[in-house]
Amino acid sequence: MRAAPNTRVQKMEGLPGDLNSELWGLHNTGQDKGTPDADIDAPEAWRITTGKREGGPVIAVIDTGVQLDHPDLDANIWTNPGEIPGNGIDDDGNGVIDDVHGFDATLNKAYVSTKHSHGTHCAGTIAAEANNDEGIVGVNHHAQIMPIKIFPDDGDSATAATIIRAALYADKMGARITSNSWTGGGYNPVVRDVFGSSEAFHVFAAGNDATNNDEVPSYPASFNLDNSVVVAASDRNDQLGYFSNYGKKSVNIAAPGVAIKSTVLDSKYATYNGTSMATPHVAGVAGLIASEFPDISNQQLKDRLLFGTDAKPQFADRV
């Protein structure tokens, strides 16, 4: 016989009531022909922290906007502490009047609403509230989601100028993390410089073209910034999503992005596919890390994300 330490283990208790079986990306027990533990190990993380609302890291969702009054999100929407609602004055002097809950970079004014569900879906994965008798739970039970709108209600593309305004606003207003589920536009040195010089940590989607980013760059993923990670999509069996871009040198990590259920407009829920869905899983984990370690540097945050992964042989030539 061998001698070994008499260590202790803990049983899994107190899982959120809204951690339903469709949320395989958070907790995969083999449901729907999945592979057990092909997930982000959210319950294990929640034993350490479930995120932090008051004084916690601000996570900017740079996307289509977020439904502010969605019952699974409203408690976790960022509120600008320097702005007095509805008085028509730029109280905090940041150049935007009444930006109480974020920024509309398409119109260069306070964020109010959206007609697209994409950003709301991303926000739900990051921080749908736990145990509130609503549909799902996010990676963070408690958080501060800052909506930043870069896509107009009547279109599905954003200009470089809009993206620059969005990134500058996020940095100016203290976002610790940004979640970026968008691609395209080619290489733009000013966009790269704005994100690269930011104090925030940026999570970028790898893209949905099923191509190798090492050979055919996809931006902003291919900016190769020290203060960022690039995310491919995995499925419930720890395989690369059929649509997902990849790149052994240029894509850092894979996360659940196939059949992801989350919040959408009109206080509803829907299931989407995409590296857009994988990205908020990683942004959510970054939020948990920054909640537990508020003084962590961007390099330390990146190291914890990358060295905390499960290395899978099927991804050895992909990320």
Side-chain angles (χ1 to χ4, degrees), residues 272-290:
Y272 291 174
N273 298 324
T275 56
S276 285
M277 286 58 255
T279 297
H281 278 90
V282 178
V285 173
L288 292 181
I289 294 170

Side-chain angles (χ1 to χ4, degrees), residues 61-68 70 73 104 106 111-124 147-158 181 263-268 270 272 277:
V61 177
I62 300 179
D63 209 288
T64 63
V66 178
Q67 182 186 334
L68 298 178
H70 194 296
L73 292 172
D104 185 338
T106 70
Y111 174 72
V112 177
S113 65
T114 179
K115 293 184 179 179
H116 299 292
S117 283
H118 192 270
T120 301
H121 198 278
C122 294
I148 301 183
K149 184 176 180 178
I150 61 170
F151 295 100
D153 286 340
D154 59 355
D156 57 3
S157 64
S181 292
T263 48
V264 293
L265 294 185
D266 300 323
S267 303
K268 296 178 181 179
Y272 291 174
M277 286 58 255

Side-chain angles (χ1 to χ4, degrees), residues 8-318:
R8 292 180 180 271
V9 299
Q10 293 176 304
K11 62 182 179 179
M12 194 73 74
E13 292 183 339
L15 292 179
D18 32 17
L19 178 63
N20 62 64
S21 62
E22 294 175 274
L23 302 177
W24 69 266
L26 303 184
H27 187 43
N28 192 338
T29 60
Q31 66 268 42
D32 297 322
K33 300 181 180 180
T35 299
D37 204 36
D39 55 30
I40 69 166
D41 287 338
E44 289 86 342
W46 293 335
R47 287 192 233 166
I48 301 169
T49 181
T50 56
K52 188 176 181 181
R53 188 176 298 146
E54 186 69 28
V58 176
I59 305 173
V61 177
I62 300 179
D63 209 288
T64 63
V66 178
Q67 182 186 334
L68 298 178
D69 62 351
H70 194 296
D72 233 354
L73 292 172
D74 56 355
N76 286 336
I77 298 293
W78 171 78
T79 297
N80 183 352
E83 202 69 25
I84 299 172
N87 68 352
I89 299 172
D90 179 14
D91 298 288
D92 59 2
N94 70 350
V96 187
I97 295 171
D98 288 337
D99 55 321
V100 178
H101 296 301
F103 179 53
D104 185 338
T106 70
L107 299 174
N108 198 24
K109 68 178 187 179
Y111 174 72
V112 177
S113 65
T114 179
K115 293 184 179 179
H116 299 292
S117 283
H118 192 270
T120 301
H121 198 278
C122 294
T125 295
I126 295 170
E129 190 179 5
N131 293 320
N132 62 340
D133 296 322
E134 297 295 340
I136 66 163
V137 62
V139 179
N140 293 259
H141 302 176
H142 317 283
Q144 296 190 79
I145 294 294
M146 176 191 287
I148 301 183
K149 184 176 180 178
I150 61 170
F151 295 100
D153 286 340
D154 59 355
D156 57 3
S157 64
T159 67
T162 300
I163 293 166
I164 290 166
R165 284 195 296 270
L168 290 174
Y169 179 89
D171 210 39
K172 179 185 292 186
M173 300 310 293
R176 181 66 187 89
I177 297 153
T178 75
S179 183
N180 301 272
S181 292
W182 47 274
T183 61
Y187 178 81
N188 185 299
V190 179
V191 174
R192 185 190 189 281
D193 288 349
V194 167
F195 277 104
S197 62
S198 165
E199 295 184 4
F201 185 80
H202 309 291
V203 186
F204 294 127
N208 298 331
D209 303 309
T211 55
N212 187 342
N213 286 6
D214 293 351
E215 299 174 356
V216 182
S218 175
Y219 298 100
S222 297
F223 282 146
N224 190 28
L225 303 176
D226 291 338
N227 59 340
S228 74
V229 291
V230 179
V231 187
S234 61
D235 67 16
R236 67 178 72 241
N237 291 295
D238 267 340
Q239 300 295 321
L240 186 73
Y242 65 91
F243 51 80
S244 180
N245 288 13
Y246 54 93
K248 187 174 183 178
K249 296 180 180 179
S250 58
V251 178
N252 301 112
I253 195 170
V258 179
I260 304 302
K261 183 176 182 179
S262 189
T263 48
V264 293
L265 294 185
D266 300 323
S267 303
K268 296 178 181 179
Y269 302 85
T271 299
Y272 291 174
N273 298 324
T275 56
S276 285
M277 286 58 255
T279 297
H281 278 90
V282 178
V285 173
L288 292 181
I289 294 170
S291 295
E292 182 70 5
F293 303 102
D295 297 323
I296 196 168
S297 70
N298 281 334
Q299 186 60 57
Q300 291 170 330
L301 178 53
K302 186 171 184 173
D303 287 346
R304 280 186 174 270
L305 286 169
L306 299 187
F307 293 108
T309 61
D310 294 325
K312 301 290 182 179
Q314 59 268 36
F315 286 97
D317 293 322
R318 291 289 182 262

